[in-house]
């Protein structure tokens, strides 16, 4: 039996979610995104859970999106802010000297 992609442990009222793809530096793929979403919703619905800790197995917490497992032609999601919304901040280069 293979290791779960997301390890879940409870210590008192603390739920510990451990990303378990250490060879890939815990890079996120569809299966890990889904497992995290379900685990977080389960924790939110569990009155015995007061705190959730998200951690990673091995030497890295999370390397980001696993580009090697991304289907061809699929784009990486971008922030959905606009120039008029506070979540959007344009990058400004400092003047050259």
């Amino acid at each position: 039996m293979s290791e779960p992609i997301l390890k879940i442990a409870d210590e008192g009222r603390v739920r510990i979610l451990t990303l378990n793809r250490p060879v890939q530096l815990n890079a996120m793929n569809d299966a890990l995104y889904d497992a995290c979403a379900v685990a977080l919703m389960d924790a939110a619905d569990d009155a015995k859970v007061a705190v959730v800790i998200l951690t990673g197995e091995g030497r890295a917490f999370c390397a980001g999106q696993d580009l090697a497992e991304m289907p061809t032609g699929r784009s990486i999601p971008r922030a959905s802010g606009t120039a008029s919304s506070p979540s959007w901040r344009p990058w400004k280069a400092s003047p050259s000297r």
Side-chain angles (χ1 to χ4, degrees), residues 24-78:
Q24 297 85 6
L25 301 178
N26 298 312
M28 299 294 282
N29 63 4
D30 288 343
L32 189 51
Y33 275 119
D34 292 344
C36 286
V38 169
L40 289 168
M41 288 186 286
D42 289 347
D45 291 339
D46 189 339
K48 296 177 286 189
V49 176
V51 175
V52 175
I53 296 174
L54 186 58
T55 187
E57 188 70 38
R59 67 184 180 98
F61 163 63
C62 180
Q65 175 67 40
D66 190 341
L67 299 178
E69 291 195 22
M70 209 169 186
T72 306
R74 182 174 168 190
S75 63
I76 298 171
R78 302 279 183 227

Side-chain angles (χ1 to χ4, degrees), residues 72-95:
T72 306
R74 182 174 168 190
S75 63
I76 298 171
R78 302 279 183 227
S80 60
T82 64
S84 61
S85 75
S87 65
W88 186 83
R89 302 273 187 256
W91 179 78
K92 293 182 182 179
S94 57

